[in-house]
DNA sequence: CTGAAAGCGCTTACAG
DNA sequence: CTGAAAGCGCTTACAG
């Protein structure tokens, strides 16, 4: 540390730069002034090595390694923006990494060998598939928080939007608009707890209207336009009667609308369509998409805050964030 | 290093783990096996401190701190995805940070105190405004590369798409579609070299058709929907004759289309509209937007590759990446 | 409020 | 091909 030129010892400089209260005000100012003149920056590697804390969080995305340059799920982009902002506000840096589910040495990417103090996990993947890995992380005492469903039996700390209530509210809205046979597009199994919760809301809303849930109207789909398109095609080919589609995500809904239109069906005149997420695209498709808005801004802040508590060994709990309905053209009959 | 259990010294373990060729094959395998069993991970802080290299790149975004949670420029998202991928392929981690132009201690964020080996700069901001800062970085011998215009007089290493040819080609397309009075929406000054290059292409294309460039048809705008909307409103209020809009970015074009439609003008029947970037939204707006596609995939790879060369002190040059035209509904008259 | 000493966990010369 | 020694630049006890 060159700032010995201030006539003090190394530890004093270190303390002054970190704003320790045990440094004389005059001394501190003198040190700060010299540091600024010299454009001095603390070496974070040395500092992290010694203090066992890096001031960095890692964000890990899991998504199917969509062929080539295909777009990132727009919903994740909103989350990324919100998380970045939350980190910056708290003085943390953010390391990001996209993981391919196929990747064997998942944990290696995670561990990050002290490069990060904690990890935020984000992604739609097969939950059962990585549950074992989460348990591995827990066993190693890693600090991490997941975005996804909050379920009673899960070992990990998680933050999620209110998938159940969102599914319930949007289905209720479709029913109020006159739908009687609502198809649900999205995997509704333990492989994808988020969709499962949305589906549970969907089912309960239908039952609350004294209608029957027709299991044949549920078609698996992952969150992509293509998958939504395919699922809708299956629905049409099976010649099942339906007057509305409740899609488990906006991308699925957008693919569904394309498939419907390709088959000469009009939205919303012939079929009502709803999504989930409220990605920026939702307002631009034609017709604009009625959907459930997830509060990504709050989500990012809560994820970061929760992770920081975990790092400080403070007690934390999984949290559920309220959602709101965005009513648009796809469920609005003239 | 606990792996002394392998019966070798610390340096040998270190060498084995890094795949140094000067380790006996048998010894190496034994060490690797033990390391795997112990879930051993090299401490990157110690390693970076000693070797003076962090295996990390930093990505800095500059964008107007758009009010609240407004969306990130979708074009940057494509770049981010591509850069992340390029880093991962080369075994580098990526640190990301959004900078507010107003932020005084820009360089502090940059320096990153050995957390990163080099920096990628991305953003539309006032170029003149941060040119001084770039020079500061150069003076300090920092390794960095910018995304933006490549111009002869600039001190920094830069990678860019072919803004000039893109502007030329899209304008030529508008002319071929019958446009005679083409408005240009976008700041065409040194404050924004990328737009300036696009504008230069626009001007040359018009001149090549033996038409005159009407300076009154150029309206300043930054890359946002709102700005495009406002610029178009100005254009309409001035009651200038125009039959096409050449927007300097897709977001501007989308805002322009909204403004035109709000004034009862039809696209493309009354006015042709073109954008620049080919963000995912471009294919979804109504009518779909004719635009210039930037090859973000190549861009990310070249940015990272260039930065890595800079870090290795190899000679580098600024590079220009070819663009391609995406013809869609907004310039397609029935 | 300040300093001398120790040490975080690696990698780098250097020697063999 | 391998090891003993030194040291990267900080921060943390500990002592005063």
């Amino acid at each position: 540390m060159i700032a010995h030129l201030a006539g003090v010892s190394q530890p004093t400089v270190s303390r002054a730069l970190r704003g320790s209260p045990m440094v004389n005000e005059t001394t501190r100012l003198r040190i700060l002034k010299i540091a600024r003149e010299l454009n001095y920056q603390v070496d974070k590697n040395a500092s992290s090595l010694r203090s066992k804390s890096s001031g960095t969080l890692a964000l890990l995305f899991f998504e199917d390694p969509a062929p080539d340059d295909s777009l990132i799920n727009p919903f994740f982009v909103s989350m990324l923006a919100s998380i970045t902002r939350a980190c910056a506000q708290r003085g943390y840096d953010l390391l990001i990494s996209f993981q391919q589910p196929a990747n064997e040495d998942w944990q290696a990417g995670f561990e990050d060998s002290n490069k990060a103090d904690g990890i935020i996990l984000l992604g739609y993947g097969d939950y059962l598939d990585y549950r074992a890995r989460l348990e591995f992380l827990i066993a190693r005492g890693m600090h991490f928080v997941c975005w996804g469903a909050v379920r009673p039996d899960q070992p990990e700390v998680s933050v999620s939007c209110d998938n159940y209530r969102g599914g319930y509210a949007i289905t209720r809205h479709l029913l109020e608009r006159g739908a009687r046979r609502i198809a649900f597009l999205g995997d509704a199994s333990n492989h994808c707890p988020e969709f499962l919760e949305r589906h549970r809301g969907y089912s309960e809303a239908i039952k609350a209207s004294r209608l029957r849930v027709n299991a044949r109207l549920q078609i698996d789909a992952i969150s992509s336009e293509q998958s939504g398109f395919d699922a809708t095609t299956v629905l049409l080919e099976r010649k099942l009667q339906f007057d509305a589609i409740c899609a488990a995500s906006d991308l699925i809904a957008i693919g569904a609308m394309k498939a419907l239109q390709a088959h000469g069906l009009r939205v919303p005149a012939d079929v009502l369509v709803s999504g989930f997420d409220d990605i920026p695209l939702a307002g631009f498709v034609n017709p604009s998409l009625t959907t459930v808005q997830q509060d990504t801004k709050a989500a990012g802040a809560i994820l970061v805050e929760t992770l920081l508590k975990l790092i400080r060994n403070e007690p934390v709990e999984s949290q559920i964030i309220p959602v709101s309905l965005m009513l648009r053209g796809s469920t609005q009959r003239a």
Side-chain angles (χ1 to χ4, degrees), chain A residues 71-92:
Chain A
L71 32 149
I72 313 176
N73 187 324
F75 174 70
F76 291 159
V77 174
S78 307
M79 290 294 287
L80 168 63
S82 158
I83 291 170
T84 309
R85 212 158 288 161
C87 282
Q89 277 168 9
R90 289 159 185 78
Y92 273 78

Side-chain angles (χ1 to χ4, degrees), chain A residues 4 28 43 115 162 168 176 204 213 229 239 245 250 261 263 277 280 298-299 312:
Chain A
H4 278 185
R28 191 226 306 296
D43 185 304
K115 268 190 143 178
D162 199 333
Y168 190 96
E176 282 168 357
E204 291 304 318
V213 176
F229 188 97
K239 303 216 181 296
I245 287 179
D250 285 351
Q261 284 157 3
H263 282 255
D277 286 346
R312 293 188 301 249

Side-chain angles (χ1 to χ4, degrees), chain A residues 93-124:
Chain A
D93 287 322
L94 187 66
L95 213 44
I96 80 167
S97 159
F98 288 76
Q99 302 278 326
Q100 313 230 334
N103 199 346
E104 274 308 317
D105 43 35
W106 219 57
Q107 46 271 46
F110 273 94
E111 177 68 53
D112 264 342
S113 18
N114 294 331
K115 268 190 143 178
D117 299 334
I119 299 163
I120 296 174
L121 261 37
L122 204 56
Y124 293 131

Side-chain angles (χ1 to χ4, degrees), chain A residues 121-285:
Chain A
L121 261 37
L122 204 56
Y124 293 131
D126 186 327
Y127 179 72
L128 295 183
D129 207 42
Y130 65 69
R131 172 139 179 178
R133 311 196 192 213
L134 296 180
E135 276 161 2
F136 174 81
L137 293 182
I138 292 171
R140 298 207 61 185
M142 304 264 338
H143 304 297
F144 70 98
V145 55
C146 300
W147 172 258
V150 171
R151 314 202 71 210
D153 56 333
Q154 70 193 5
E156 75 274 16
V157 174
S158 183
V159 175
S160 137
C161 82
D162 199 333
N163 291 301
Y164 171 75
R165 284 221 178 74
Y168 190 96
I170 195 87
T171 306
R172 202 179 149 66
H173 167 71
L174 293 170
L175 291 164
E176 282 168 357
R177 284 278 185 267
R180 284 300 167 264
R181 294 193 192 83
I182 307 175
F184 184 93
L185 304 189
D187 197 326
S189 74
N190 281 322
H191 293 277
C192 188
E194 297 192 70
F195 285 6
L196 182 55
E197 285 294 290
R198 292 172 197 178
H199 182 264
R200 207 162 61 76
Y202 151 91
S203 299
E204 291 304 318
I206 291 177
K207 288 181 201 154
S209 289
R210 306 211 193 120
L211 293 170
R212 285 224 327 269
V213 176
N214 180 353
R216 300 197 61 207
L217 285 178
Q218 183 270 320
I219 311 280
D220 282 356
I222 61 166
S223 193
S224 81
E225 214 185 298
Q226 187 60 48
S227 188
F229 188 97
D230 295 344
T232 306
T233 306
V234 168
L235 211 51
L236 292 166
E237 279 168 358
R238 286 194 191 162
K239 303 216 181 296
L240 295 165
Q241 296 284 321
F242 63 94
D243 50 16
I245 287 179
C246 177
S249 85
D250 285 351
L251 289 179
I252 294 174
I254 289 168
M257 292 208 286
K258 283 203 178 160
L260 292 171
Q261 284 157 3
H263 282 255
L265 289 166
R266 292 161 303 162
V267 179
D270 300 320
V271 182
L272 301 175
V273 175
S274 71
F276 206 111
D277 286 346
D278 197 28
I279 61 177
L281 212 51
F284 283 96
V285 289

